[in-house]
Amino acid sequence: MPDQTKKSSARRDQAVNLDTIGLEMGNKPPQALDVEEAVLGAMLIEPSAVDEALEELTPGCFYDPRHKMIFEAMTHLVADHTPVDLITVSARLKAEGNLEAVGGAIVLANLSQKVGAAANMEFYIKILKQKTIQRDLITASYEILKDSYDDSVKVDDLIDKAQSKVYAAIQNNVKKEVQDIGSVINEAMSNIQDMQSKDGPNGVRSGFASIDRITQGWQASDLIILAARPSVGKTAFSLNLARNASVQFHVPVAFFSLEMSSLQLAKRLMTSESGLSADKIKGGAKLESFEWDQLEYKLKNLISAPLYIDDTPSIPVMEFRTKAKTLVKNKGVRLIIVDYLQLMQGPAETRGMREQEVAAISRTLKATAKELDVPIIALSQLSRQAVQRTGGTGKPQLSDLRESGSIEQDADMVIFIHRPDMQGLSENPEDKELTQIIIAKHRNGETCEIDMRFKSEQIKFVEPGNDFAATAGSVGIESAMNSDMDDFADAAQAFE
């Protein structure tokens, strides 16, 4: 068995060896050894070249193993606040036992003679980064190809690994340029000017005035965590948000449902939109003829709304990222909702380590929101601690977020849904609708508690004093809101 393990390990090492891949492909791996020498030579004699190279390059940017060892020695010297020159690098390599491996001090002396113009360092670095990306993509492609021929690898895992490898190959070598404060302020001034010319919130509106006053709408690049215990109303509230944005304000919304099917979500939306009872939409009770007309009439705006649903169960986080980018690019999506975070699959290397997996998912959601410049609302479960806590009001706390502290850390906003009646904490047991929307973390604004009511028969949240709108059944259909339901029934019968 030990021999077999060694053989399989050797095969894996060989599989990702670029020279081996080059022989199989009949090509040399992308490389620029003369440029590597020019960069190392400049670093040996020019302190400014050291700073410039270390800012952009890593040891992996050097193809020649000897050049890689020399660059690592220079990196260690800088980390120890030691000047980089021919003598210090030689001493460091000797201390690490690598001086002879790189060819001795004579090789370093020769490198110091192979120095290009210092003004060309930026160009040399760009070449090395391009070659590195090419090599990383070759390695990723080879591993994807090898796994594709392996019948023991599940297709879902294959897709997840393929996306992860290609994305990592690109991202590891792309760095954002540093911006001076003047250009950032000019951009901020333009942004403020644009916002001043608009009425109301500048972000994607929630459809709830009390929430929009605090948030100014869901802000681009923000990760918003919406958390509650099971059966409290996370999905219902998130569907209300999706419906309000897409129907009422015509904002394209993507809803990723990992728990419920698209048909179930559609029926929930139909219930809240039509004002009919959930029992009738589910088929538990018969619809009257005028109610069919009412249903068709009320659903016109919902049917044409720019709301896109993906109900892939246990979607891998990298597949989600790819789909989100496609939706933003092709459909103009400006709000993404994920129901819910803990049901996503993290990177393959974190499977079996739940805390690390959830942390990786959380980081990816935040990175996606920032990259696509859209708000992402991710639903999350709360731990049992939220209901087992004795004394007080029973309200959830940030520490109740389940499975990883990274969720709280990565989120720009954390919102809890608290229904006292669900915990037997309501002061008035007859009042089962009382709900609190608790903004517990708000990186760019205030935290607060907002009172709402949950109309369970219509699967709809409403603000106090807006009960009539809930009964009418649609914020987006003003004629229905301004009509009495009896008058509407008569009109529907006349139409029939």
Side-chain angles (χ1 to χ4, degrees):
M1 284 296 288
D3 290 339
Q4 290 179 353
T5 304
K6 287 180 180 178
K7 288 178 181 178
S8 63
S9 176
R11 282 196 297 271
R12 281 196 301 272
D13 291 341
Q14 187 181 27
V16 295
N17 185 286
L18 283 167
D19 288 325
T20 304
I21 297 173
L23 287 173
E24 291 184 9
M25 298 292 184
N27 293 308
K28 284 185 177 181
Q31 54 189 280
L33 300 184
D34 53 340
V35 177
E36 291 180 14
E37 291 175 345
V39 169
L40 293 174
M43 292 176 70
L44 284 170
I45 63 173
E46 182 60 55
S48 63
V50 175
D51 295 333
E52 197 171 350
L54 290 180
E55 184 180 349
E56 296 286 342
L57 301 177
T58 64
C61 294
F62 293 84
Y63 178 75
D64 191 317
R66 297 172 301 170
H67 296 164
K68 186 179 296 186
M69 285 188 281
I70 293 169
F71 185 80
E72 285 176 336
M74 293 176 173
T75 304
H76 296 155
L77 287 171
V78 172
D80 293 339
H81 306 287
T82 304
V84 173
D85 58 33
L86 187 61
I87 295 173
T88 57
V89 173
S90 297
R92 185 74 191 199
L93 285 167
K94 187 174 183 180
E96 294 174 351
N98 291 329
L99 184 58
E100 295 304 319
V102 302
I106 190 171
V107 168
L108 294 176
N110 290 336
L111 282 176
S112 64
Q113 303 300 315
K114 298 179 180 180
V115 182
N120 294 334
M121 271 296 287
E122 184 178 351
F123 179 69
Y124 296 153
I125 289 171
K126 185 177 180 180
I127 292 174
L128 293 189
K129 290 181 72 174
Q130 288 175 342
K131 299 297 182 185
T132 304
I133 292 173
Q134 289 176 274
R135 292 197 299 269
D136 288 348
L137 285 173
I138 289 170
T139 302
S141 301
Y142 187 88
E143 291 178 344
I144 293 167
L145 182 65
K146 183 167 63 72
D147 288 340
S148 298
Y149 279 106
D150 189 347
D151 290 335
S152 66
V153 179
K154 294 180 180 179
V155 173
D156 290 341
D157 290 339
L158 177 63
I159 293 171
D160 187 24
K161 288 169 69 176
Q163 291 173 331
S164 299
K165 289 179 188 298
V166 174
Y167 178 74
I170 298 169
Q171 286 298 114
N172 287 344
N173 295 286
V174 176
K175 293 184 180 179
K176 190 174 180 181
E177 293 295 325
V178 175
Q179 296 174 280
D180 64 272
I181 187 62
S183 63
V184 178
I185 286 177
N186 286 335
E187 184 180 349
M189 290 290 285
S190 298
N191 182 256
I192 292 171
Q193 197 169 25
D194 290 341
M195 291 189 294
Q196 291 292 313
S197 63
K198 298 176 182 177
D199 294 327
N202 53 69
V204 177
R205 300 190 189 192
S206 69
F208 299 103
S210 52
I211 293 179
D212 288 339
R213 274 196 299 270
I214 303 299
T215 64
Q216 288 301 302
W218 309 121
Q219 299 297 311
S221 80
D222 274 5
L223 173 61
I224 301 109
I225 298 296
L226 177 62
R229 287 292 297 158
S231 302
V232 170
K234 295 188 301 297
T235 301
F237 188 63
S238 63
L239 279 174
N240 285 183
L241 298 176
R243 180 264 163 208
N244 292 346
S246 61
V247 175
Q248 193 174 347
F249 302 109
H250 312 292
V251 173
V253 178
F255 196 104
F256 288 83
S257 176
L258 286 74
E259 187 174 32
M260 300 177 67
S261 69
S262 56
L263 185 61
Q264 289 174 311
L265 291 178
K267 287 184 176 181
R268 283 193 169 208
L269 285 165
M270 291 166 69
T271 300
S272 58
E273 190 73 9
S274 67
L276 299 173
S277 69
D279 196 36
K280 289 191 174 183
I281 297 296
K282 290 177 182 177
K286 299 293 184 182
L287 285 166
E288 300 293 338
S289 58
F290 79 89
E291 289 176 323
W292 278 108
D293 294 326
Q294 176 184 339
L295 185 61
E296 290 182 16
Y297 177 73
K298 291 291 189 71
L299 294 183
K300 286 181 180 178
N301 286 355
L302 180 61
I303 289 171
S304 61
L307 176 57
Y308 308 96
I309 297 174
D310 185 298
D311 61 356
T312 306
S314 302
I315 187 170
V317 69
M318 295 310 296
E319 182 182 335
F320 156 79
R321 186 185 184 94
T322 301
K323 287 183 174 180
K325 291 176 77 170
T326 302
L327 285 164
V328 170
K329 181 180 179 181
N330 296 339
K331 302 294 185 181
V333 163
R334 289 175 51 204
L335 173 64
I336 297 172
I337 299 175
V338 180
D339 182 16
Y340 59 92
L341 184 151
Q342 280 86 358
L343 289 180
M344 297 185 90
Q345 289 185 41
E349 61 270 17
T350 63
R351 308 270 169 84
M353 299 173 287
R354 188 55 183 165
E355 186 174 346
Q356 291 185 28
E357 184 176 12
V358 172
I361 293 169
S362 176
R363 283 195 303 271
T364 303
L365 289 176
K366 174 56 186 174
T368 304
K370 190 173 181 181
E371 179 186 353
L372 301 183
D373 199 33
V374 299
I376 293 181
I377 300 176
L379 280 58
S380 176
Q381 292 279 28
L382 290 178
S383 66
R384 291 185 179 275
Q385 183 181 348
V387 293
Q388 292 174 342
R389 189 181 297 112
T390 58
T393 60
K395 294 177 182 178
Q397 301 175 3
L398 290 171
S399 59
D400 296 330
L401 287 169
R402 189 175 174 184
E403 292 181 311
S404 178
S406 294
I407 299 176
E408 176 190 348
Q409 177 183 318
D410 295 329
D412 296 281
M413 188 181 301
V414 177
I415 300 174
F416 295 125
I417 303 175
H418 177 53
R419 290 172 59 192
D421 180 67
M422 296 292 290
Q423 297 177 235
L425 297 171
S426 177
E427 296 180 3
N428 182 2
E430 295 181 359
D431 191 354
K432 297 182 180 296
E433 297 181 351
L434 181 63
T435 305
Q436 283 186 316
I437 303 299
I438 303 171
I439 301 179
K441 177 185 177 182
H442 191 185
R443 187 166 282 162
N444 300 306
E446 64 176 296
T447 58
C448 64
E449 298 178 3
I450 298 169
D451 291 331
M452 284 199 186
R453 306 190 79 80
F454 179 55
K455 303 288 183 180
S456 58
E457 71 281 0
Q458 295 173 17
I459 319 178
K460 176 177 283 190
F461 286 79
V462 297
E463 295 177 284
N466 199 26
D467 288 2
F468 178 76
T471 304
S474 175
V475 178
I477 307 175
E478 295 179 1
S479 60
M481 286 179 60
N482 297 326
S483 300
D484 180 84
M485 290 301 292
D486 292 335
D487 293 340
F488 181 83
D490 293 341
Q493 287 177 329
F495 175 79
E496 184 182 16

